[in-house]
Amino acid sequence: MSAALIVLLVVVLLVVLLVVYGIAKYNGLVSLRNKIEGSYAQIDVQLNRRHDLIPNLVETVKGYASHEKTTLEAVIQARNQATAAQGVADKAQAENVLSGALKSLFALSEAYPDLKANQGFQQLQTELAATEDRIAYSRQYYNDIVRSYNEGIQRFPGNLVANSFHFNQREYFQADEPSRQNVQVDFGS
């Protein structure tokens, strides 16, 4: 074999390896992008479940604490804003506001022992707590996939493939600082 033929074979082999790598990287990014979409849809399912439970919860509380109109209206308004939110960042922000409003609503049960003992309220509270756990798990899963995807499009040489095919970074679904804090309720001393 001549030296020119060996060089040609090495060059062809390198080109084939680069093409195979590019295809594998592209397919991997497509797979991650689809997982992001699927996991975001799962968050949306859980958020819709949460939104569906809230009117029943508010109606139950109304019967016991009808003069707590401001709290009840805040929950309904937050729910409506969360339902209308579009995009990851807006939806996350609206859900954080809703979480804060729900904390205030559940704090009411401490002031109304009859409400706290109501079986319907307890069942709704349990369902909502389970839904909140599912939302937290779905957010974590979504954010893990977004992290993997974002790292994949930022690292070299994957960023060459990502930039060539216009893969863009994705936003995390994050809770803001106020929604992580416990609500302080004072019913007067």
Side-chain angles (χ1 to χ4, degrees), residues 65-81:
S66 58
H67 60 282
E68 299 290 352
K69 187 176 181 183
T70 306
T71 302
L72 298 173
E73 286 174 352
V75 171
I76 292 299
Q77 181 180 6
R79 178 201 177 265
N80 292 341
Q81 289 173 347

Side-chain angles (χ1 to χ4, degrees), residues 15-37:
V15 169
V16 168
L17 288 175
L18 285 174
V19 168
V20 168
Y21 171 79
I23 291 170
K25 188 63 178 177
Y26 176 84
N27 288 339
L29 291 173
V30 168
S31 177
L32 284 172
R33 185 176 58 195
N34 290 338
K35 282 183 180 181
I36 288 171
E37 296 301 323

Side-chain angles (χ1 to χ4, degrees), residues 61-117:
V61 173
K62 272 185 186 178
Y64 288 90
S66 58
H67 60 282
E68 299 290 352
K69 187 176 181 183
T70 306
T71 302
L72 298 173
E73 286 174 352
V75 171
I76 292 299
Q77 181 180 6
R79 178 201 177 265
N80 292 341
Q81 289 173 347
T83 303
Q86 298 293 315
V88 175
D90 289 342
K91 194 168 279 248
Q93 183 180 10
E95 291 300 328
N96 291 333
V97 171
L98 180 56
S99 292
L102 285 172
K103 286 179 184 178
S104 296
L105 183 69
F106 285 125
L108 286 178
S109 69
E110 297 300 321
Y112 298 94
D114 290 344
L115 171 61
K116 194 174 181 177

